[in-house]
Each structure stands twice: as C-alpha cells, then as structure tokens.
Amino acid sequence: MSEPALSTRLAGGIAELGLSLSPQQQDQLLNYLSLLGKWNKVYNLTAVRDPEEMLTHHLLDSLAVIAPLRRHTEGRAIELLDVGSGGGLPGVVVAICCPEVNVTCVDAVAKKAAFIQQSAGALALPNLRGVHARVESITQQFDVVTSRAFASLVDFTQWSKGALAEQGVWMAMKGKRPDEELAALSSEVEVFHVEHIGVPGLGAERCIVWMRRG
C-alpha cells in the first residue's frame, strides 16, 4: 500500500475514533510505522509485516485507547509505564498523541528497548524512553501501568504492582472480555471497569480492563 493511501486510511481511522490529532502527529504516526517496518526486517519486533495490516492491527488498535486514557487523565501530566512494550505498542502511540504523558516502555529484550530509544530520537519525542529490564525490577512509581497482549491479568498485575503508584491504575488491553482471567484475580486487585472499544477496520472484539489496588 502506498504512503498516501496509508495516510488516508490513518486519517479515516482517527476520525472514526473521534480523535483530534495535528498533521504533525499524524506524520509522526506514519514515520513510526515506517521505522517499525525497517527495524522489523532485522530485529523481528512484530510478526505482522504487511504495512496495511500493521496500520490496522498495531496503529489503530493502539489509537483506540487514546480517548479512554484521555478521559481518565483529564489532561493531567502523568507518568505511564508500558509493560512488555515490544515494538512500542501502545507506548509510542501514546507518547505521540499525548505530549503531556511521560511514557516509559519496558521490555526484557534489549533490542526492543533500543528500538524505543531510537524512535524517541527519530520522532522527536522527549516524553518517551525505552528501558531494558524486567518489570519486576522497576521501582519508579507510575500513575498508569498498561500492557497490550502481554500476559494474563494475574501475571501482569503481580509483576508490575511494585511500579504502580498508590492511587494509580492498571490499563490492560485485551481482546474479548477475559472472564477466566478476571475470575482468577486476587482480592488485592479491584476491577472497576471493563470498557469495550472498537478498532476501525478490525472485525474483532477488543476491551480495556481497568484495575486498581483492592
């Protein structure tokens, strides 16, 4: 798919999601997609290779959480941790769309954290950084801890609880409502909202599981 066609598809998806993004932000998203494609050839950051599929399955899928996140933060400057970020989804997308959010992407694979750092420089995103570490070792406190297709809710909350600020929330991106995972959570974790989200061009169920300390 040509770049103008990708740009048109992206703009249509942004409008469908009800987001307001500047031309510069839309350019950054497309440049990020291009970076992801280039690095993917060498570092295998994602199994999805086709640019059109990457647009839908990665960019638009991550963009679908921007409006819910903005509703939660109400425009406040916050610290967000993206756990098991891989190629930076949704972390890089959040950093582009929400300049007021300081985004830290943590991954146990060094080359993935290096890609995030490279992206921060190439896309001129001072609010983005990549960290090579296991999430259990993170001691900084974050207002929002998020993950996308990372692990079960039990493992995600257990491994990242040391990084969650006292009044912070977990924002787990999931496919269809994970009832078995929800049932397995301990009383230390309170699920306060399961929010269904639609991804333009993706005929699959998606939801966000919002949690806080119980």
Side-chain angles (χ1 to χ4, degrees):
M1 185 179 250
S2 68
E3 194 164 308
L6 280 176
S7 178
T8 302
R9 278 282 306 279
L10 176 62
I14 288 168
E16 201 175 319
L17 289 166
L19 298 175
S20 177
L21 298 179
S22 69
Q24 181 192 355
Q25 286 171 312
Q26 295 188 41
D27 284 346
Q28 284 175 309
L29 288 168
L30 289 169
N31 289 339
Y32 166 58
L33 199 65
S34 175
L35 275 175
L36 194 58
K38 282 178 190 162
W39 276 62
N40 206 29
K41 289 171 185 165
V42 182
Y43 288 114
N44 196 29
L45 299 170
T46 164
V48 179
R49 306 250 167 204
D50 175 62
E52 189 175 357
E53 208 176 325
M54 285 171 82
L55 178 75
T56 307
H57 288 66
H58 288 335
L59 266 197
L60 292 176
D61 192 54
S62 295
L63 282 166
V65 304
I66 298 300
L69 177 63
R70 283 176 175 170
R71 278 196 298 273
H72 173 75
T73 64
E74 297 177 333
R76 297 189 308 274
I78 66 154
E79 298 286 334
L80 179 141
L81 179 67
D82 181 11
V83 179
S85 185
L89 299 152
V92 175
V93 175
V94 171
I96 290 170
C97 297
C98 306
E100 74 282 1
V101 176
N102 280 322
V103 178
T104 299
C105 294
V106 62
D107 203 283
V109 179
K111 62 190 178 186
K112 293 180 177 176
F115 170 70
I116 302 299
Q117 281 296 101
Q118 175 72 19
S119 298
L123 301 170
L125 294 169
N127 60 329
L128 173 68
R129 68 187 181 117
V131 173
H132 171 222
R134 296 186 65 84
V135 65
E136 299 95 318
S137 70
I138 301 287
T139 54
Q140 183 185 341
Q141 299 287 281
F142 292 86
D143 305 292
V144 175
V145 177
T146 190
S147 72
R148 176 180 178 267
F150 167 64
S152 71
L153 293 177
V154 169
D155 287 345
F156 168 51
T157 52
Q158 184 65 30
W159 295 339
S160 64
K161 64 183 181 183
L164 187 73
E166 197 57 44
Q167 302 300 319
V169 300
W170 283 289
M171 182 181 84
M173 297 173 66
K174 288 287 181 178
K176 65 180 183 180
R177 183 186 169 97
D179 288 317
E180 287 185 13
E181 292 182 30
L182 290 165
L185 287 166
S186 76
S187 57
E188 293 179 357
V189 178
E190 178 199 348
V191 177
F192 64 92
H193 187 30
V194 178
E195 182 172 359
H196 291 276
I197 53 176
V199 179
L202 193 64
E205 287 184 64
R206 289 285 188 271
C207 71
I208 301 170
V209 180
W210 292 93
M211 299 165 285
R212 57 188 163 219
R213 297 180 190 277

